[in-house]
């Protein structure tokens, strides 16, 4: 009996792009970033580690200290880790088990059975070169869809876990956003009115092992098109980000969640908070799993600056998403905030 493969046809798709593409004489990262000053530097790097117990303690000095650490990391790194974040290890482990069970289904099941409202994706359909291709598969799940029992098929136990997981991540994301908004004198009520469950989403990621080439990325260099992202990853490693014009590898921490600033917070903060380019390097031997939560506004929300003059012109989230999609189809990669700089 022939076992059905769980892997999507990544090799086929990658080789098809490779055969159609005449490689330019520029480096892998230059093609994505449009920059010649990013150096390869793959040593493990400890991100700022912030204990969120400080946000809820009775000591005002400790509360201020914790808020200051969050704001500083958002400005200097655009990435940080949080511990004592209020999400139980039991829930995180349940989510991982359900995620692995889901991705262990055959490719045919994942791609044709309408799971999670047909949210399954693999590779990069818009890739125009090998450098734009992501060696990964994912389910992109809007929060509003998670309670729908009809979209889980045989994976009915996943629904209960996703409902609990999404609620916990949403609560944590709003807590961190409140710190960042109030740090610059903004009003949380106005900010929270922008947030919409129709656009916030979870992305369940699997990065299959990739024996073809060490230059293939699990996820191509990019910034996130949201306010902030919360990532729960396994211990395989592979996440890299740009710090001081160098790619640095993030050392996994089993007790921490990773938080990174998205494009919208950078625009709102007038470049005070940094949306930093990052990528996932494919592993030649071991698969990698992660789950990311994305805090997003409604499509008609205006993303203005907390102060004037603004570095960027006002734009709606819908306008921003549309431009990103147009760039992906035309260029094979995202351009991002530079399109809106005044």
């Amino acid at each position: 009996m022939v076992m059905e493969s769980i892997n999507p046809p990544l090799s086929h798709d990658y080789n098809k792009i490779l055969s159609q593409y005449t490689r330019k004489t520029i480096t892998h990262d230059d093609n994505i970033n449009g920059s010649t000053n990013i150096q390869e530097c793959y040593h493990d790097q400890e991100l700022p580690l912030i204990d969120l117990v400080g946000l809820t303690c009775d000591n005002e000095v400790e509360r201020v200290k914790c808020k200051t650490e969050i704001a500083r990391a958002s400005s200097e790194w655009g990435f940080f880790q949080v511990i004592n974040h209020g999400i139980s290890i039991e829930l995180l482990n349940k989510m991982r088990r359900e995620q692995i069970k889901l991705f262990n289904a055959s490719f045919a099941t994942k791609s044709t059975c309408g799971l999670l409202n047909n949210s399954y994706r693999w590779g990069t359909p818009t890739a125009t070169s090998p450098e734009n291709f992501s060696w990964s598969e994912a389910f992109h799940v809007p929060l509003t869809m998670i309670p729908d029992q009809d979209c889980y098929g045989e994976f009915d136990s996943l629904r209960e876990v996703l409902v609990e997981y999404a609620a916990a991540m949403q609560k944590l994301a709003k807590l961190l956003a409140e710190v960042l908004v109030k740090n610059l004198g903004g009003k949380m009520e106005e900010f929270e009115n922008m947030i919409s469950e129709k656009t916030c989403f979870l992305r369940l990621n699997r990065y299959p092992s990739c024996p073809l080439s060490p230059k293939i990325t699990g996820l191509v260099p990019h910034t996130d098109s949201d306010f902030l992202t919360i990532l729960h990853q396994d211990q395989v490693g592979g996440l890299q980000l740009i710090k001081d014009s160098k790619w640095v590898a993030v050392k996994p921490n089993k007790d921490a969640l990773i938080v990174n600033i998205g494009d919208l917070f950078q625009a709102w903060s007038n470049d005070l908070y940094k949306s930093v380019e990052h990528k996932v390097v494919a592993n030649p031997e071991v698969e990698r799993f992660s789950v990311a939560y994305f805090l997003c506004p409604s499509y008609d929300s205006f993303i203005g600056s907390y102060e004037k003059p603004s570095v960027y012109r006002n734009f709606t989230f819908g306008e921003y998403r549309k431009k990103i999609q147009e760039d992906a189809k035309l260029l094979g990669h995202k351009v991002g905030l530079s399109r809106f700089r005044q």
Side-chain angles (χ1 to χ4, degrees), residues 57-76:
C57 72
D58 295 330
N59 188 315
E60 183 178 358
V61 173
E62 288 300 314
R63 291 199 303 273
V64 171
K65 177 175 178 285
C66 185
K67 293 175 182 178
T68 300
E69 289 175 349
I70 292 171
R72 182 186 301 119
S74 299
S75 178
E76 295 179 358

Side-chain angles (χ1 to χ4, degrees), residues 234-252:
D234 62 19
Q235 298 302 293
V236 171
L239 177 63
Q240 298 183 359
L241 59 93
I242 292 178
K243 174 63 174 171
D244 299 327
S245 298
K246 296 178 181 178
W247 284 108
V248 296
V250 176
K251 185 177 181 180

Side-chain angles (χ1 to χ4, degrees), residues 104-201:
N104 278 344
S106 69
F107 171 68
T109 298
K110 289 179 287 192
S111 60
T112 64
C113 291
L115 292 175
L116 298 176
N117 198 33
N118 290 304
S119 64
Y120 179 66
R121 304 289 184 269
W122 74 91
T124 311
T126 58
T128 57
S129 74
E131 289 81 8
N132 301 145
F133 188 82
S134 293
W135 192 274
S136 56
E137 58 178 333
F139 286 90
H140 180 118
V141 191
L143 296 197
T144 50
M145 193 192 67
I146 289 175
D148 184 1
Q149 291 182 324
D150 295 333
C151 67
Y152 288 88
E154 63 189 87
F155 302 95
D156 54 327
S157 60
L158 175 60
R159 176 183 173 274
E160 181 181 346
V161 177
L162 273 181
V163 168
E164 184 180 0
Y165 188 91
M169 286 293 177
Q170 178 109 328
K171 181 179 178 181
L172 176 58
K174 289 183 177 180
L175 176 67
L176 295 170
E178 182 174 10
V179 172
L180 295 170
V181 168
K182 290 184 175 180
N183 177 60
L184 297 183
K187 296 180 179 179
M188 188 57 189
E189 296 81 7
E190 295 178 0
F191 180 87
E192 196 159 8
N193 285 338
M194 290 193 293
I195 302 304
S196 172
E197 287 196 358
K198 293 181 179 179
T199 52
C200 294
F201 64 96

Side-chain angles (χ1 to χ4, degrees), residues 265-277:
F265 247 143
Q266 176 167 325
W268 181 83
S269 68
N270 247 3
D271 284 349
L272 180 61
Y273 303 143
K274 301 297 191 298
S275 180
V276 173
E277 199 163 35

Side-chain angles (χ1 to χ4, degrees), residues 281-296:
V281 176
N283 190 298
E285 299 176 350
V286 185
E287 64 184 356
R288 176 182 183 267
F289 292 94
S290 69
V291 181
Y293 167 86
F294 298 83
L295 183 68
C296 302

